[in-house]
Amino acid sequence: MRAILTASSDEGQLIILSPEMERQELRRWRQTRSFYCPQCEGPVQLKVGDIVTPHFAHRKDATCSASFSEGESPRHLNGKQLLYQFLSAGNHDVVLEPLVNEISQRPDLLVKTGKSKFPIEFQCSTIPISLLEKRTDGYHKAGMQPIWILHTPAKLASRAEGVGIFQFSKFQEWFITKTSPEDDVLLTFNPHNQTFHYFSSLLHVVGQRYIGMHRILPLHFQVFPFARPKAPIENEMRQYSNLYESLRQKELQNRILLNRKGIKDPFLRSCYEMKMLPTQLAPWIGVPIPGNWAFREADVEWQFRFIHFLKRNEIPFSDVATYSIERFVHGFNGNFTEKTLACEQYIHFLSQQSIDFASLKTDYTENVVLQLISERFLANER
Protein backbone atom coordinates (compact mmCIF):
# COMPACT_ATOMS: atom_id res chain seq x y z
CA MET A 1 0.00 0.00 0.00
CA ARG A 2 1.13 3.54 -0.78
CA ALA A 3 1.48 5.83 2.22
CA ILE A 4 0.53 9.52 2.03
CA LEU A 5 0.07 12.33 4.54
CA THR A 6 -2.84 14.11 2.89
CA ALA A 7 -6.41 13.02 2.19
CA SER A 8 -9.86 14.51 1.66
CA SER A 9 -12.59 14.02 4.25
CA ASP A 10 -16.27 13.27 3.67
CA GLU A 11 -16.89 17.02 3.80
CA GLY A 12 -14.31 17.68 1.09
CA GLN A 13 -11.84 19.17 3.57
CA LEU A 14 -8.13 18.51 2.93
CA ILE A 15 -6.63 16.75 5.95
CA ILE A 16 -2.89 17.08 6.52
CA LEU A 17 -1.44 14.78 9.19
CA SER A 18 1.06 16.49 11.47
CA PRO A 19 3.18 15.31 14.44
CA GLU A 20 1.03 17.37 16.86
CA MET A 21 -2.11 15.36 16.18
CA GLU A 22 -3.02 13.06 19.05
CA ARG A 23 -3.07 9.39 18.11
CA GLN A 24 -6.13 8.84 20.27
CA GLU A 25 -8.05 11.46 18.27
CA LEU A 26 -6.81 9.95 15.00
CA ARG A 27 -8.02 6.51 16.11
CA ARG A 28 -11.44 8.04 16.75
CA TRP A 29 -11.38 9.54 13.25
CA ARG A 30 -10.54 6.13 11.86
CA GLN A 31 -13.72 4.73 13.37
CA THR A 32 -16.07 7.60 12.53
CA ARG A 33 -14.84 9.21 9.29
CA SER A 34 -13.99 8.24 5.73
CA PHE A 35 -11.04 9.56 3.75
CA TYR A 36 -10.23 9.73 0.06
CA CYS A 37 -7.12 10.14 -2.05
CA PRO A 38 -6.87 13.73 -3.35
CA GLN A 39 -5.61 12.40 -6.69
CA CYS A 40 -7.71 9.37 -7.66
CA GLU A 41 -10.54 10.12 -5.18
CA GLY A 42 -10.55 6.47 -4.18
CA PRO A 43 -10.91 5.48 -0.49
CA VAL A 44 -7.80 5.38 1.68
CA GLN A 45 -7.25 3.93 5.14
CA LEU A 46 -6.04 5.97 8.09
CA LYS A 47 -3.21 3.97 9.67
CA VAL A 48 -2.49 4.80 13.32
CA GLY A 49 0.04 2.59 15.08
CA ASP A 50 2.17 3.08 18.17
CA ILE A 51 5.49 3.37 16.36
CA VAL A 52 5.05 4.22 12.68
CA THR A 53 4.07 7.77 11.78
CA PRO A 54 0.28 7.99 11.24
CA HIS A 55 -0.54 8.06 7.53
CA PHE A 56 -3.14 7.31 4.90
CA ALA A 57 -2.73 4.28 2.68
CA HIS A 58 -4.35 3.06 -0.50
CA ARG A 59 -5.85 -0.39 -0.43
CA LYS A 60 -3.82 -3.21 -1.94
CA ASP A 61 -5.99 -3.34 -5.04
CA ALA A 62 -5.80 0.43 -5.68
CA THR A 63 -4.38 1.54 -9.03
CA CYS A 64 -3.37 5.05 -7.93
CA SER A 65 0.40 4.84 -7.88
CA ALA A 66 1.85 6.42 -11.01
CA SER A 67 2.59 9.83 -9.54
CA PHE A 68 3.79 8.65 -6.14
CA SER A 69 7.42 7.89 -5.40
CA GLU A 70 8.68 4.64 -3.95
CA GLY A 71 7.06 3.17 -0.83
CA GLU A 72 7.17 5.41 2.22
CA SER A 73 9.33 4.60 5.23
CA PRO A 74 8.63 5.99 8.74
CA ARG A 75 11.64 8.31 8.52
CA HIS A 76 10.46 9.60 5.13
CA LEU A 77 6.99 10.35 6.45
CA ASN A 78 8.42 12.00 9.55
CA GLY A 79 10.91 14.01 7.49
CA LYS A 80 8.20 15.30 5.16
CA GLN A 81 6.07 16.37 8.09
CA LEU A 82 8.96 18.22 9.75
CA LEU A 83 9.93 19.97 6.52
CA TYR A 84 6.30 20.97 5.92
CA GLN A 85 6.02 22.43 9.43
CA PHE A 86 9.30 24.31 9.04
CA LEU A 87 8.25 25.86 5.73
CA SER A 88 4.72 26.64 6.90
CA ALA A 89 6.05 28.35 10.05
CA GLY A 90 8.09 30.64 7.80
CA ASN A 91 4.89 31.87 6.12
CA HIS A 92 5.84 30.24 2.84
CA ASP A 93 3.23 29.11 0.37
CA VAL A 94 3.88 25.39 0.68
CA VAL A 95 1.83 22.36 -0.38
CA LEU A 96 2.38 18.83 0.89
CA GLU A 97 2.35 16.00 -1.69
CA PRO A 98 0.83 18.07 -4.53
CA LEU A 99 0.22 16.60 -7.96
CA VAL A 100 1.97 18.45 -10.80
CA ASN A 101 -0.56 17.62 -13.49
CA GLU A 102 1.46 18.48 -16.59
CA ILE A 103 4.16 15.91 -15.74
CA SER A 104 2.13 13.56 -13.51
CA GLN A 105 4.66 13.82 -10.68
CA ARG A 106 4.08 14.36 -7.01
CA PRO A 107 6.98 15.96 -5.08
CA ASP A 108 7.11 15.65 -1.32
CA LEU A 109 6.60 19.42 -1.03
CA LEU A 110 6.10 22.34 -3.37
CA VAL A 111 7.11 25.86 -2.33
CA LYS A 112 5.80 28.85 -4.26
CA THR A 113 7.72 32.14 -4.10
CA GLY A 114 6.45 34.83 -6.43
CA LYS A 115 6.28 33.31 -9.91
CA SER A 116 8.71 30.50 -9.05
CA LYS A 117 7.88 27.01 -7.83
CA PHE A 118 10.38 24.74 -6.07
CA PRO A 119 9.61 21.03 -5.76
CA ILE A 120 11.36 19.56 -2.71
CA GLU A 121 12.20 15.86 -2.65
CA PHE A 122 13.38 14.24 0.58
CA GLN A 123 15.17 11.06 -0.48
CA CYS A 124 15.57 8.32 2.12
CA SER A 125 15.97 5.12 0.11
CA THR A 126 18.49 4.15 -2.54
CA ILE A 127 16.85 3.99 -5.95
CA PRO A 128 18.28 3.88 -9.50
CA ILE A 129 20.01 7.13 -10.44
CA SER A 130 18.17 6.96 -13.77
CA LEU A 131 14.89 7.43 -11.85
CA LEU A 132 16.28 10.49 -10.03
CA GLU A 133 17.34 11.97 -13.36
CA LYS A 134 13.96 11.20 -14.92
CA ARG A 135 12.10 12.98 -12.12
CA THR A 136 14.49 15.93 -12.28
CA ASP A 137 14.02 16.20 -16.05
CA GLY A 138 10.26 16.18 -15.50
CA TYR A 139 10.45 19.16 -13.16
CA HIS A 140 12.72 21.02 -15.58
CA LYS A 141 10.20 20.47 -18.39
CA ALA A 142 7.57 22.02 -16.12
CA GLY A 143 9.84 25.06 -15.64
CA MET A 144 10.74 24.20 -12.04
CA GLN A 145 14.10 23.73 -10.31
CA PRO A 146 13.85 20.82 -7.84
CA ILE A 147 15.65 20.74 -4.51
CA TRP A 148 16.81 17.26 -3.52
CA ILE A 149 17.57 16.63 0.16
CA LEU A 150 19.23 13.35 1.07
CA HIS A 151 18.56 11.60 4.36
CA THR A 152 21.78 11.98 6.35
CA PRO A 153 23.77 8.74 5.90
CA ALA A 154 24.26 6.96 9.24
CA LYS A 155 28.04 6.77 8.87
CA LEU A 156 28.21 10.54 8.35
CA ALA A 157 25.66 11.70 10.93
CA SER A 158 28.04 11.03 13.83
CA ARG A 159 31.06 12.74 12.26
CA ALA A 160 32.46 15.74 14.11
CA GLU A 161 31.96 19.17 12.63
CA GLY A 162 34.84 20.76 10.79
CA VAL A 163 37.31 19.75 8.09
CA GLY A 164 37.54 16.04 7.31
CA ILE A 165 37.79 13.33 4.68
CA PHE A 166 34.46 11.96 3.47
CA GLN A 167 33.65 8.89 1.40
CA PHE A 168 30.37 9.00 -0.53
CA SER A 169 28.67 6.29 -2.53
CA LYS A 170 27.91 6.95 -6.21
CA PHE A 171 24.26 7.35 -5.22
CA GLN A 172 25.13 9.95 -2.56
CA GLU A 173 27.43 11.75 -4.99
CA TRP A 174 24.47 12.39 -7.27
CA PHE A 175 22.98 14.76 -4.67
CA ILE A 176 26.06 17.01 -4.60
CA THR A 177 25.11 20.37 -6.09
CA LYS A 178 27.00 23.52 -7.00
CA THR A 179 26.02 26.65 -5.09
CA SER A 180 28.70 28.59 -7.01
CA PRO A 181 31.07 27.68 -9.88
CA GLU A 182 33.51 25.86 -7.60
CA ASP A 183 31.56 25.17 -4.40
CA ASP A 184 30.10 21.67 -4.21
CA VAL A 185 27.59 21.02 -1.42
CA LEU A 186 25.77 17.92 -0.20
CA LEU A 187 22.64 18.90 1.77
CA THR A 188 21.21 16.20 4.05
CA PHE A 189 18.53 16.07 6.72
CA ASN A 190 18.23 13.87 9.81
CA PRO A 191 14.56 13.81 10.98
CA HIS A 192 15.45 11.87 14.15
CA ASN A 193 17.65 14.70 15.46
CA GLN A 194 15.88 17.41 13.43
CA THR A 195 19.20 18.61 12.07
CA PHE A 196 20.55 19.47 8.64
CA HIS A 197 24.04 18.17 7.89
CA TYR A 198 26.00 20.10 5.29
CA PHE A 199 29.04 18.66 3.57
CA SER A 200 30.36 21.69 1.73
CA SER A 201 33.42 23.13 -0.02
CA LEU A 202 34.03 19.60 -1.29
CA LEU A 203 37.46 19.02 -2.81
CA HIS A 204 37.70 15.81 -4.81
CA VAL A 205 40.67 13.60 -3.99
CA VAL A 206 40.18 10.20 -5.65
CA GLY A 207 37.24 7.94 -6.49
CA GLN A 208 34.34 8.98 -4.27
CA ARG A 209 36.61 10.49 -1.61
CA TYR A 210 36.55 14.19 -0.79
CA ILE A 211 38.00 16.67 1.66
CA GLY A 212 35.25 18.94 2.93
CA MET A 213 33.55 20.85 5.72
CA HIS A 214 30.88 19.22 7.88
CA ARG A 215 28.45 21.60 9.53
CA ILE A 216 25.30 20.85 11.52
CA LEU A 217 22.32 23.21 11.48
CA PRO A 218 19.29 22.56 13.74
CA LEU A 219 15.95 22.66 11.93
CA HIS A 220 14.76 25.72 13.89
CA PHE A 221 17.75 27.72 12.59
CA GLN A 222 17.16 26.81 8.94
CA VAL A 223 15.81 29.31 6.41
CA PHE A 224 14.35 29.10 2.93
CA PRO A 225 15.94 29.20 0.42
CA PHE A 226 18.15 26.80 2.32
CA ALA A 227 21.15 28.36 4.06
CA ARG A 228 24.41 28.45 2.10
CA PRO A 229 27.50 27.36 4.07
CA LYS A 230 30.39 29.79 4.40
CA ALA A 231 33.72 29.10 2.74
CA PRO A 232 36.58 27.77 4.91
CA ILE A 233 38.63 30.36 6.77
CA GLU A 234 42.45 30.55 6.68
CA ASN A 235 43.28 27.90 9.29
CA GLU A 236 40.69 25.55 7.78
CA MET A 237 42.22 25.98 4.33
CA ARG A 238 45.56 24.97 5.84
CA GLN A 239 43.87 21.82 7.15
CA TYR A 240 42.63 21.15 3.60
CA SER A 241 46.17 21.60 2.27
CA ASN A 242 47.72 19.32 4.89
CA LEU A 243 45.12 16.59 4.33
CA TYR A 244 45.50 16.83 0.55
CA GLU A 245 49.30 16.56 0.75
CA SER A 246 49.03 13.63 3.15
CA LEU A 247 46.63 11.77 0.85
CA ARG A 248 48.86 12.52 -2.16
CA GLN A 249 51.85 10.91 -0.43
CA LYS A 250 49.75 7.98 0.71
CA GLU A 251 48.52 7.43 -2.85
CA LEU A 252 52.09 7.33 -4.15
CA GLN A 253 53.21 4.93 -1.42
CA ASN A 254 50.25 2.62 -2.00
CA ARG A 255 50.91 2.51 -5.73
CA ILE A 256 54.38 1.17 -4.98
CA LEU A 257 53.62 -1.11 -2.03
CA LEU A 258 50.13 -2.42 -2.84
CA ASN A 259 50.19 -2.48 -6.63
CA ARG A 260 49.39 -5.90 -8.13
CA LYS A 261 49.61 -4.97 -11.80
CA GLY A 262 53.30 -4.20 -11.83
CA ILE A 263 54.45 -2.37 -14.93
CA LYS A 264 50.99 -2.91 -16.47
CA ASP A 265 49.70 -0.24 -14.11
CA PRO A 266 49.27 2.87 -16.38
CA PHE A 267 50.70 5.25 -13.78
CA LEU A 268 53.75 3.12 -12.96
CA ARG A 269 54.25 2.52 -16.66
CA SER A 270 54.46 6.28 -17.16
CA CYS A 271 56.95 6.54 -14.30
CA TYR A 272 59.06 3.77 -15.87
CA GLU A 273 59.08 5.34 -19.32
CA MET A 274 59.88 8.76 -17.85
CA LYS A 275 62.68 7.14 -15.79
CA MET A 276 61.27 8.58 -12.56
CA LEU A 277 60.26 7.14 -9.21
CA PRO A 278 56.83 8.17 -7.89
CA THR A 279 58.60 9.75 -4.91
CA GLN A 280 60.57 12.01 -7.27
CA LEU A 281 57.56 13.77 -8.72
CA ALA A 282 57.58 17.55 -8.40
CA PRO A 283 55.01 19.10 -6.01
CA TRP A 284 53.14 20.69 -8.93
CA ILE A 285 52.26 17.21 -10.24
CA GLY A 286 49.15 16.29 -8.29
CA VAL A 287 47.44 19.57 -7.44
CA PRO A 288 43.72 20.38 -6.92
CA ILE A 289 43.03 22.40 -10.05
CA PRO A 290 39.43 23.48 -10.83
CA GLY A 291 37.38 20.66 -12.35
CA ASN A 292 39.65 17.88 -11.03
CA TRP A 293 36.56 15.90 -9.97
CA ALA A 294 36.05 14.96 -13.63
CA PHE A 295 38.73 12.30 -13.14
CA ARG A 296 38.09 9.42 -10.74
CA GLU A 297 41.85 8.88 -10.59
CA ALA A 298 43.99 10.75 -8.06
CA ASP A 299 45.29 14.11 -9.31
CA VAL A 300 48.88 12.93 -9.11
CA GLU A 301 48.07 10.03 -11.47
CA TRP A 302 46.13 11.73 -14.25
CA GLN A 303 48.33 14.81 -14.22
CA PHE A 304 51.57 12.82 -14.48
CA ARG A 305 50.10 10.61 -17.19
CA PHE A 306 49.10 13.78 -19.03
CA ILE A 307 52.66 15.13 -18.74
CA HIS A 308 54.00 11.78 -19.95
CA PHE A 309 51.60 11.91 -22.91
CA LEU A 310 52.79 15.41 -23.86
CA LYS A 311 56.45 14.49 -23.40
CA ARG A 312 56.10 11.32 -25.49
CA ASN A 313 54.46 13.30 -28.30
CA GLU A 314 56.95 16.18 -27.94
CA ILE A 315 54.22 18.71 -27.22
CA PRO A 316 55.43 21.67 -25.09
CA PHE A 317 53.19 22.95 -22.29
CA SER A 318 52.95 26.29 -24.08
CA ASP A 319 51.51 24.79 -27.27
CA VAL A 320 48.90 22.15 -26.39
CA ALA A 321 46.07 21.99 -28.90
CA THR A 322 42.57 20.91 -27.91
CA TYR A 323 42.68 17.87 -30.18
CA SER A 324 45.83 16.66 -28.34
CA ILE A 325 44.00 16.88 -25.00
CA GLU A 326 41.05 15.02 -26.50
CA ARG A 327 43.36 12.20 -27.60
CA PHE A 328 44.63 11.90 -24.03
CA VAL A 329 41.27 11.91 -22.22
CA HIS A 330 39.87 9.20 -24.49
CA GLY A 331 41.93 6.79 -22.38
CA PHE A 332 39.81 7.49 -19.28
CA ASN A 333 36.23 6.65 -18.34
CA GLY A 334 33.69 9.38 -17.64
CA ASN A 335 32.55 12.66 -19.16
CA PHE A 336 34.79 13.52 -22.13
CA THR A 337 34.12 17.28 -22.10
CA GLU A 338 34.64 17.73 -18.34
CA LYS A 339 37.98 15.91 -18.48
CA THR A 340 39.10 18.05 -21.39
CA LEU A 341 38.30 21.19 -19.40
CA ALA A 342 40.22 19.84 -16.38
CA CYS A 343 43.30 19.27 -18.57
CA GLU A 344 42.99 22.79 -19.98
CA GLN A 345 42.88 24.13 -16.41
CA TYR A 346 46.03 22.18 -15.57
CA ILE A 347 47.83 23.57 -18.64
CA HIS A 348 46.74 27.06 -17.56
CA PHE A 349 48.16 26.40 -14.08
CA LEU A 350 51.51 25.21 -15.51
CA SER A 351 51.66 28.31 -17.67
CA GLN A 352 50.96 30.57 -14.67
CA GLN A 353 53.76 28.88 -12.74
CA SER A 354 56.16 29.15 -15.71
CA ILE A 355 56.81 25.40 -15.56
CA ASP A 356 58.21 23.44 -18.50
CA PHE A 357 59.63 19.99 -19.21
CA ALA A 358 63.07 20.96 -17.94
CA SER A 359 61.70 21.33 -14.40
CA LEU A 360 60.34 17.79 -13.95
CA LYS A 361 62.87 17.22 -11.15
CA THR A 362 62.74 20.76 -9.83
CA ASP A 363 63.38 21.88 -6.25
CA TYR A 364 60.24 23.99 -6.60
CA THR A 365 59.02 24.49 -3.00
CA GLU A 366 56.11 26.93 -3.26
CA ASN A 367 52.99 25.55 -1.53
CA VAL A 368 50.90 25.45 -4.69
CA VAL A 369 48.24 23.27 -3.04
CA LEU A 370 47.43 25.88 -0.40
CA GLN A 371 47.60 28.57 -3.08
CA LEU A 372 45.06 26.79 -5.29
CA ILE A 373 42.75 25.98 -2.39
CA SER A 374 42.85 29.58 -1.18
CA GLU A 375 42.11 30.94 -4.66
CA ARG A 376 39.23 28.52 -5.05
CA PHE A 377 37.46 29.26 -1.77
CA LEU A 378 38.18 32.98 -1.68
CA ALA A 379 36.63 33.23 -5.16
CA ASN A 380 33.44 31.70 -3.74
CA GLU A 381 33.14 34.51 -1.22
CA ARG A 382 33.29 37.25 -3.84
Side-chain angles (χ1 to χ4, degrees), residues 2 18 21 27 38 58 85 98 127 155 174 208 223 229 253 261 274-275 281 288 291 298 347 355 367 369 375 377:
R2 298 280 178 171
S18 66
M21 292 182 171
R27 290 190 179 99
H58 287 82
Q85 284 185 306
I127 60 175
K155 68 176 183 178
W174 188 87
Q208 280 91 40
V223 295
Q253 292 170 4
K261 296 182 180 179
M274 294 280 282
K275 295 181 174 57
L281 301 187
I347 290 296
I355 294 170
N367 192 338
V369 172
E375 289 175 356
F377 294 137

Side-chain angles (χ1 to χ4, degrees), residues 168 171-178 183-187 199 202 210:
F168 303 120
F171 178 76
Q172 292 161 359
E173 267 191 315
W174 188 87
F175 294 86
I176 296 175
T177 60
K178 290 184 179 295
D183 191 11
D184 296 340
V185 178
L186 175 61
L187 173 62
F199 301 90
L202 295 173
Y210 296 78

Side-chain angles (χ1 to χ4, degrees), residues 204-238:
H204 181 255
V205 180
V206 62
Q208 280 91 40
R209 185 177 297 178
Y210 296 78
I211 299 172
M213 289 287 298
H214 176 211
R215 292 187 176 90
I216 301 174
L217 181 67
L219 176 60
H220 59 272
F221 285 138
Q222 185 61 278
V223 295
F224 186 85
F226 293 100
R228 174 184 169 184
K230 293 182 178 179
I233 58 178
E234 183 177 355
N235 71 307
E236 291 168 338
M237 287 189 281
R238 291 189 180 278

Side-chain angles (χ1 to χ4, degrees), residues 56 112-113 183 199 228 295:
F56 299 105
K112 303 176 184 178
T113 58
D183 191 11
F199 301 90
R228 174 184 169 184
F295 287 89

Side-chain angles (χ1 to χ4, degrees), residues 68-92:
F68 286 95
S69 59
E70 66 283 357
E72 304 277 1
S73 65
R75 61 185 180 182
H76 190 198
L77 289 168
N78 186 33
K80 284 199 299 185
Q81 285 182 326
L82 291 170
L83 290 171
Y84 176 77
Q85 284 185 306
F86 147 67
L87 292 165
S88 298
N91 296 319
H92 296 290

